[in-house]
Amino acid sequence: MTITPGVATTVGRRAPDRRPRAVLFDVFETMLRVDALRSRFIDVGRPEHEWELFFTRTLRDGMAHTLAGSVRPFGEVARAALRTTVGHTLSDEAVEHVIAGFRELPPHPDVEPALMALARARIPAYAFTHGTEQVACDALDKAGLRTYLRDTFSAERIASFKPPARVYLWACQQVELPPEKVALVAVHSWDVHGAVRAGLIGGLATRLEGRVPDVVERPHVAAERLDTVVERLIALPV
């Protein structure tokens, strides 16, 4: 990946509290309800609560591979994490049944109002995810959200998981804006932390974690609901 001159110097420098000219949205758990996978676990004879450990392991392992410098595609990492979570008891067919659930996740109720607010403010919104862009697009289509989005980007295109700075800088290149004019919105504080460290504007919805943890960079705006986060981004000085 090539970083345009001057962009890399933003790493570690906090973006000013200014209204963004584009907003990147994390997809899984931020826009789409990953807990809906619980029904897939029941279908294959596993306890429904295993969805959470499975998804957490997938993110953890993807980050570990990124740190080690050898990243496998999200789907491969997810399948391996699923097999570990269930103690290698599922057939290949059952594994694929669970993984296919990523294409059919319902939206959180605060997502569409957030996207509508950005549309009214004429600020383009983009999906920014792990995994293949086609899976994310299929899921967002089924959830009725893709029509609000200018495009969908995946860190898989640069063989990485979030949150290294180069991932966010690459996304900024895709929207043709400098990092300090782009916001990253997510329910994962580590994701927002990575974006803020990379020089982006950070928006954290706390509905997943309850509050802003003390160990992360302070987001520029925070609120429980995604639509409130967006309203506060829009309200920042131009």
Side-chain angles (χ1 to χ4, degrees), residues 17-31:
D17 290 2
R18 297 288 184 183
R19 180 193 293 184
R21 291 176 54 190
V23 178
L24 305 170
F25 284 90
D26 172 57
V27 175
F28 298 113
E29 285 192 318
T30 298
M31 301 180 77

Side-chain angles (χ1 to χ4, degrees), residues 119-139:
R120 289 193 297 268
R122 298 185 179 181
I123 299 174
Y126 300 84
F128 184 34
T129 187
H130 299 110
T132 65
E133 290 167 1
Q134 190 57 58
V135 170
C137 287
D138 289 348

Side-chain angles (χ1 to χ4, degrees), residues 7 9 20 63 65 71 97 100-101 126 143 152 160 168 194 209 219 231 235 238:
V7 171
T9 61
M63 292 176 190
H65 289 309
V71 181
H97 177 73
Y126 300 84
T152 300
S160 184
Y168 303 100
E209 299 177 3
E231 290 168 4
V238 177

Side-chain angles (χ1 to χ4, degrees), residues 70-98:
S70 178
V71 181
R72 306 296 290 269
F74 179 89
E76 293 183 23
V77 176
R79 288 174 177 84
L82 177 57
R83 290 187 174 98
T84 299
T85 300
V86 302
H88 304 278
T89 58
L90 295 183
S91 66
D92 290 346
E93 182 181 10
V95 167
E96 292 308 313
H97 177 73
V98 174

